[in-house]
Amino acid sequence: MGEGIGALRFDFCGDGEAVLYDSLRLAAAVVRANEPYPEMISPFALLSILVTVGALFSLLSYRMLRLPTTIGTMMLSLCAAAALIGAGNLGGAPAHLLHASAERLVAGINFNHAVLHGMLAFLLFAGALQLDIEQLYRERRVVLALSIVATALSTAIVAVLFKGALTLIGLPLSMTSALLFGALISPTDPIAVLEMLRRVGAPAHLEVQLAGESLFNDGVGAVIFLALLGASGVGGGPASSMGTSMGSFAVLLLLKAGGAIVLGLVLGYLTFRVLSLVDSYRVEVLLTLALAMGGYALADALKLSAPLEVVTAGLMVSGRARVLVMSPETRDHLEKFWELIDDIMNVLLFLLLGLQLLVLPIARGYVIAGLIAIPVVLLARLLSVTATLEALAIVRGRVPGAVWVLTWGGLRGALAVALALSLPAEFGHERNLLLIATYMVVVFSIVVQGLTIPRLLQRLGSRRQLSV
């Protein structure tokens, strides 16, 4: 949980500077003494500091920046990280100590583990509960096609274009690494853009398409990534032949995805039946919490796709299912509970995402690769969404402007960074290159795309042109 300390000192806020500086000095002394945590700074205290900083950034975002909480929090955390880096490079001994302490403590948190084996369970389950199941059913063809077909197409397109572009400028990249980059960067995360869509009154079907796609393609993208990594032979076991690799990839994809969906259906149905026997909102809220956490942990332990499992389980107790087995009072408490969990997790996630800047291996070549990756990923998204929707137009007709909204609104988030951080050290310099490229794409999509989607909707005519 060392990341919380790294977020403490943000010079543009000023208040409590002495206390924060003393805390960092103490933390630095502990790091030099090779102690993971000092007796006075427990994991709970570090988490408390992280929540406090997240709350302050949320307040600044709401009162001063007038931005969606997630985007504002990430921008402020990026500014804080940049200020710490600048202070370490240009300031005196105290500033250098401050930067070194923050950097070491940010490096102490396992971001990949925190996201993939913790926060994602709450975020995906909360997202599944918020979906209108009837609207999702009406948009099932689009959601499934975008989640599976468009994600697979985007993975291949990104791999080919990114590898080709880097080769042209003298930065060689293996096809395995290119495919892994395509798999980790293709899943979308519209957490920030959905708030913008609601602000400008975008059609409900577009919200459902973006939200539904993101919930499922998180799992699909992670499965493709892990299957490719396993089939590559890197990080464990000898490399296999192409035929064996492709066979391993298909088997892993089927087992991880199919097994996760079956597990989610079973656990979701069992929870639904238990909920029908209870009429206490306290117990029922705890049962949904157990379903989210327990199901995700079980899928993780069974080496299945935990994201797909938790989304499936969440859908089993969402929408009409809640109406059938829950009283109005229970539904109200449940919705408010999971909305609050969702908000807290998003603030912490985007805070941690911004502070990762402190520990990234920045180099000129990696930054150039990141600048190339941004248009490559956007073009791949445009091509994959266009191809998918054109194929669907045969049975459902075209929706003017939908391609542009789905392309520009398909933001990338923390899952991509977490997957990039999970790449084994055997990839060498390619791991650092992919990590920087991923981070730059994520920051661009959240800050630039997230803030400009309202203008795009206005230019397209919002409801009038985008309604079916």
Side-chain angles (χ1 to χ4, degrees):
M1 298 301 300
E3 190 141 1
I5 296 293
L8 290 178
R9 179 100 184 261
F10 38 98
D11 294 338
F12 45 83
C13 289
D15 295 338
E17 184 172 327
V19 175
L20 299 182
Y21 180 59
D22 287 342
S23 299
L24 285 169
R25 288 184 62 191
L26 176 60
V30 172
V31 172
R32 287 195 295 271
N34 294 319
E35 297 178 13
Y37 293 109
E39 186 175 345
M40 294 179 60
I41 303 182
S42 64
F44 174 77
L46 293 174
L47 178 60
S48 300
I49 293 168
L50 188 61
V51 171
T52 302
V53 174
L56 289 173
F57 281 4
S58 298
L59 177 62
L60 289 171
S61 175
Y62 176 77
R63 294 288 297 175
M64 297 175 61
L65 302 180
R66 304 290 182 181
L67 295 174
T69 304
T70 49
I71 296 179
T73 298
M74 182 173 177
M75 290 178 65
L76 288 171
S77 61
L78 282 170
C79 291
L84 286 168
I85 294 173
N89 293 334
L90 303 175
H96 182 72
L97 174 63
L98 185 67
H99 171 248
S101 303
E103 183 179 352
R104 289 173 182 173
L105 288 167
V106 168
I109 187 170
N110 189 331
F111 184 79
N112 165 55
H113 186 83
V115 174
L116 292 180
H117 305 287
M119 302 177 82
L120 208 57
F122 300 99
L123 290 167
L124 293 178
F125 191 84
L129 284 180
Q130 292 171 12
L131 275 180
D132 183 338
I133 195 70
E134 293 181 356
Q135 183 74 29
L136 179 64
Y137 181 78
R138 286 195 292 269
E139 301 294 333
R140 65 190 183 280
R141 293 189 183 91
V142 177
V143 170
L144 289 175
L146 290 173
S147 303
I148 301 172
V149 179
T151 301
L153 280 175
S154 176
T155 297
I157 294 170
V158 168
V160 172
L161 294 181
F162 192 53
K163 176 178 170 56
L166 292 187
T167 301
L168 289 176
I169 63 170
L171 286 175
L173 185 71
S174 68
M175 182 52 72
T176 297
S177 295
L179 284 169
L180 287 169
F181 178 68
L184 68 88
I185 206 65
S186 292
T188 56
D189 180 10
I191 291 168
V193 80
L194 285 177
E195 187 174 344
M196 287 289 194
L197 289 174
R198 295 187 185 107
R199 283 187 180 187
V200 299
H205 75 275
L206 278 178
E207 288 187 31
V208 171
Q209 288 173 11
L210 278 169
E213 178 201 5
S214 73
L215 288 174
F216 287 103
N217 72 10
D218 274 0
V220 172
V223 168
I224 293 175
F225 175 86
L226 294 173
L228 284 170
L229 187 61
S232 71
V234 179
S240 54
S241 66
M242 178 60 71
T244 305
S245 294
M246 292 304 296
S248 300
F249 172 78
V251 171
L252 284 170
L253 193 64
L254 180 62
L255 289 177
K256 286 181 178 291
I261 292 172
V262 171
L263 180 62
L265 289 172
V266 171
L267 294 179
Y269 177 74
L270 290 175
T271 304
F272 171 79
R273 298 299 300 175
V274 173
L275 287 171
S276 66
L277 305 176
V278 182
D279 188 18
S280 168
Y281 75 83
R282 294 178 178 87
V283 176
E284 291 174 86
V285 169
L286 279 174
L287 285 170
T288 61
L289 186 61
L291 176 61
M293 298 176 68
Y296 196 94
L298 179 59
D300 239 356
L302 295 175
K303 307 299 181 184
L304 302 175
S305 173
L308 279 178
E309 183 282 329
V310 77
V311 169
T312 306
L315 289 174
M316 290 292 292
V317 294
S318 67
R320 185 169 294 277
R322 290 206 301 270
V323 176
L324 293 175
V325 299
M326 294 181 185
S327 66
E329 181 188 16
T330 297
R331 291 200 301 272
D332 182 59
H333 282 285
L334 182 73
E335 290 165 5
K336 289 179 178 177
F337 172 81
W338 279 104
E339 183 179 353
L340 182 60
I341 290 291
D342 190 44
D343 289 342
I344 292 172
M345 287 295 169
N346 277 318
V347 167
L348 294 178
L349 184 59
F350 280 78
L351 175 65
L352 295 177
L353 191 57
L355 292 173
Q356 285 296 306
L357 181 65
L358 284 168
V359 294
L360 290 178
I362 299 174
R364 181 173 175 271
Y366 301 158
V367 173
I368 293 174
L371 292 174
I372 292 173
I374 292 171
V376 164
V377 171
L378 280 172
L379 179 59
R381 173 72 176 171
L382 175 62
L383 294 175
S384 60
V385 169
T386 301
T388 302
L389 294 187
E390 284 297 317
L392 289 172
I394 300 173
V395 295
R396 60 173 276 133
R398 291 181 176 84
V399 180
V403 168
W404 299 108
V405 175
L406 291 172
T407 298
W408 198 247
L411 310 188
R412 271 62 180 185
L415 175 66
V417 178
L419 290 176
L421 285 168
S422 72
L423 286 169
E426 286 89 336
F427 281 95
H429 78 91
E430 290 189 352
R431 179 184 185 275
N432 292 336
L433 184 151
L434 296 184
L435 181 56
I436 294 296
T438 300
Y439 193 79
M440 291 180 66
V441 170
V442 169
V443 171
F444 177 88
S445 72
I446 292 173
V447 176
V448 178
Q449 294 174 232
L451 290 177
T452 56
I453 191 70
R455 294 184 181 180
L456 175 63
L457 287 168
Q458 291 168 1
R459 295 193 65 175
L460 291 173
S462 191
R463 281 189 182 276
R464 187 175 63 256
Q465 292 186 28
L466 293 173
S467 296
V468 179

